[in-house]
Amino acid sequence: MMLSGQRDPILVPEVSQHEVQVRQGFTGTELLLFGAIIDPAGRGGGGQYDIVVVLKGPPEPIRLREKARFAGVWINAENTDFRSVPSFFAVASSRPVEEIVDQKTAAIYEFGTDYIQLSPTGIIDPAEQARFAAGLVDLKTRQNLYQELVGGVELREQVLYQARISLPSNVSTGVYTAETFAVTDGRVIASAMAEVAVRKVGFERFIENSANDWGLYYGLAAVLLSIGMGWAAGRFYAMI
């Protein structure tokens, strides 16, 4: 417990790289998130803490469709929209989250994939909402875009911490936020945030910028290129 009048500790976070460059052949990378817990006087934290790190990618809207089998054929059935879904989500903790905080606190700070605030649109039955949300989380988890790393945070002498989180090759570009929380007695007593920019570089960046800035011309060029390649292939095989 904290002594009366004692101020809460301060987190000083850092990441191994503030920019991840996505080039052709990018196979993913590993981020090292580390830092220290210090008190206002600058000494080591000295208390008994747990650390939880939450890494989130830029939000994106998603329409989730449910497949149903009809007359032996799989067709699109019900669907729902989510207006703000983290493109990437990972939680690393020094112990299982349920041993660190209660469910209410975990939900407030999104300490797990079960607590992601997905922001569905429109009016939807709570049971249906929960089913679609679970399906979305399961899909993202199988794509390695949502991760829970129990014991993924290493603490040294209750002062230094580090966590390693893998970014797969299919991550979205944009600004990622890495928020670190210090917890004691089930209460979040300090938090701090760092940012990581994931950017495409080289030819991949040119293609992305062209698609975003000159969408119409990019689409026409893609169609003309496809037609030209089809015509060239036809001519080639006709000559054989």
Side-chain angles (χ1 to χ4, degrees):
M1 296 181 63
M2 297 290 182
L3 296 177
S4 177
Q6 183 177 345
R7 294 172 60 188
D8 288 336
I10 299 172
L11 278 170
V12 182
E14 189 53 271
V15 293
S16 56
Q17 49 185 321
H18 287 276
E19 181 175 271
V20 175
Q21 296 185 347
V22 178
R23 302 176 182 272
Q24 185 176 5
F26 177 72
T27 58
T29 189
E30 184 180 70
L31 289 178
L32 173 64
L33 298 95
F34 60 96
I37 312 167
I38 60 175
D39 69 8
R43 298 183 298 272
Q48 293 297 316
Y49 308 107
D50 280 292
I51 296 292
V52 181
V53 177
V54 180
L55 178 65
K56 291 197 291 187
E60 58 187 8
I62 284 182
R63 169 167 289 182
L64 192 65
R65 294 183 175 89
E66 185 179 48
K67 295 285 187 178
R69 194 174 183 87
F70 179 76
V73 179
W74 288 99
I75 61 173
N76 290 328
E78 299 182 36
N79 65 80
T80 190
D81 293 323
F82 297 90
R83 64 175 177 269
S84 183
V85 176
S87 55
F88 179 86
F89 185 92
V91 175
S93 55
S94 53
R95 290 189 295 152
V97 169
E98 60 270 20
E99 297 179 8
I100 299 174
V101 295
D102 58 24
Q103 289 187 348
K104 181 180 179 181
T105 304
I108 292 173
Y109 295 101
E110 296 181 288
F111 284 172
T113 55
D114 290 339
Y115 306 109
I116 301 175
Q117 299 173 13
L118 295 173
S119 304
T121 62
I123 300 174
I124 183 171
D125 178 74
E128 288 288 294
Q129 176 180 326
R131 185 165 61 86
F132 272 102
L136 176 59
V137 170
D138 177 68
L139 177 62
K140 291 280 193 180
T141 300
R142 285 187 280 114
Q143 294 173 340
N144 203 28
L145 292 171
Y146 283 7
Q147 306 170 18
E148 289 188 342
L149 307 172
V150 177
V153 177
E154 297 180 19
L155 268 169
R156 296 183 180 178
E157 298 180 356
Q158 292 293 309
V159 177
L160 302 177
Y161 70 87
Q162 68 173 28
R164 298 179 184 274
I165 297 178
S166 297
L167 295 180
S169 59
N170 55 335
V171 292
S172 299
T173 56
V175 177
Y176 286 58
T177 59
E179 193 163 9
T180 304
F181 302 87
V183 184
T184 186
D185 295 330
R187 183 174 67 93
V188 174
I189 57 173
S191 66
M193 184 179 296
E195 292 186 346
V196 178
V198 178
R199 307 186 191 281
K200 290 185 178 179
V201 295
F203 185 69
E204 288 75 13
R205 183 174 183 179
F206 170 75
I207 293 295
E208 183 181 46
N209 290 342
S210 299
N212 293 331
D213 298 337
W214 303 291
L216 176 60
Y217 300 108
Y218 175 83
L220 290 174
V223 171
L224 291 175
L225 180 62
S226 298
I227 294 174
M229 292 181 66
W231 177 83
R235 293 285 295 175
F236 175 77
Y237 287 108
M239 295 172 61
I240 296 178

